[in-house]
Amino acid sequence: MFVLLLILIAVLFGFGFLHPIWWVAAAVLAYGATRHGRERGGGRSRGGGSDLGDYRNPRDYRDYRERRDRQDRWDRRYTRQNWARRRREDRRDHEHHG
């Protein structure tokens, strides 16, 4: 399938010498193929998309649960370390504006 797509892009590029609109068609087709390939190919992206994964696969659920637990620990640690500073800033803002 990918080979046929490359051949089609090459043919459209060749027709571009006859009429430049074919270059636009080849560019649009190449752009669409690369966007579609990034969204579908190469497996699931770790950085983007849904964190839910496929719960039918126990490993995906375990990965999701570990990421969620790490994020919860980070959030708790951050809020514990900074709650006093935020309260001081809130009090200062309330006294300044109130």
Side-chain angles (χ1 to χ4, degrees):
M1 178 71 181
F2 184 71
V3 174
L4 293 175
L5 187 63
L6 287 177
I7 292 171
L8 180 61
I9 291 171
V11 168
L12 289 176
F13 183 78
F15 281 149
F17 290 106
L18 298 175
H19 200 283
I21 193 70
W22 292 111
W23 281 335
V24 174
V28 168
L29 187 62
Y31 176 76
T34 57
R35 292 291 291 179
H36 183 68
R38 271 189 228 136
E39 290 172 359
R40 286 193 43 160
R44 199 177 81 214
S45 171
R46 293 253 179 213
S50 173
D51 283 341
L52 298 177
D54 182 9
Y55 288 138
R56 292 171 295 195
N57 185 348
R59 183 181 178 103
D60 287 342
Y61 180 72
R62 193 176 328 122
D63 290 345
Y64 160 73
R65 195 175 59 217
E66 288 172 3
R67 280 194 311 273
R68 185 193 61 200
D69 292 344
R70 274 195 310 269
Q71 184 65 44
D72 288 344
R73 283 192 304 270
W74 176 263
D75 291 342
R76 282 193 308 270
R77 184 178 309 131
Y78 181 78
T79 55
R80 268 199 315 261
Q81 289 176 350
N82 294 302
W83 72 271
R85 178 182 53 83
R86 283 197 304 273
R87 286 189 63 196
R88 281 193 306 271
E89 289 173 355
D90 289 345
R91 193 177 320 123
R92 208 174 305 134
D93 287 343
H94 181 70
E95 291 171 357
H96 185 282
H97 292 104

